[in-house]
Amino acid sequence: MKRIMKDQLVKIIAGNQKGKVAKVTRINGQKIYLENINVRTRHIAPNRLNKQGGKKDVHLPIDISNVALIHDGKEETSKITYKISDDKKIRIAKKTGKEIR
């Protein structure tokens, strides 16, 4: 079980986007892709498939260590700990002690 999962809200805690809140769209190893964060414009050359060419927005990843999970819908972040009960691993927010789903 990972610390942060898809479709959860996270707050960026380091880098030039620091302080912004975004939704996780994809996780690839230690890299994380966020909705409308770290978007760059790439120029596409004309080819057989794309006759005209043009510009395309590309989402670039952020390292997973630069984000913190928002657990109660507020903008407060919390570290995550794990608890094993009934042979299941449960994520728990350290700050509040509540289970994270």
Side-chain angles (χ1 to χ4, degrees), residues 39-53:
V39 179
R40 302 289 187 261
T41 303
R42 298 286 185 235
H43 295 271
I44 307 294
N47 57 29
R48 288 184 189 175
L49 299 175
N50 188 11
K51 302 269 185 198
Q52 190 171 0

Side-chain angles (χ1 to χ4, degrees), residues 54-71:
K55 297 178 184 178
K56 180 180 178 184
D57 289 335
V58 177
H59 291 273
L60 298 177
I62 296 175
D63 197 82
I64 201 164
S65 66
N66 293 336
V67 297
L69 183 68
I70 295 177
H71 56 88

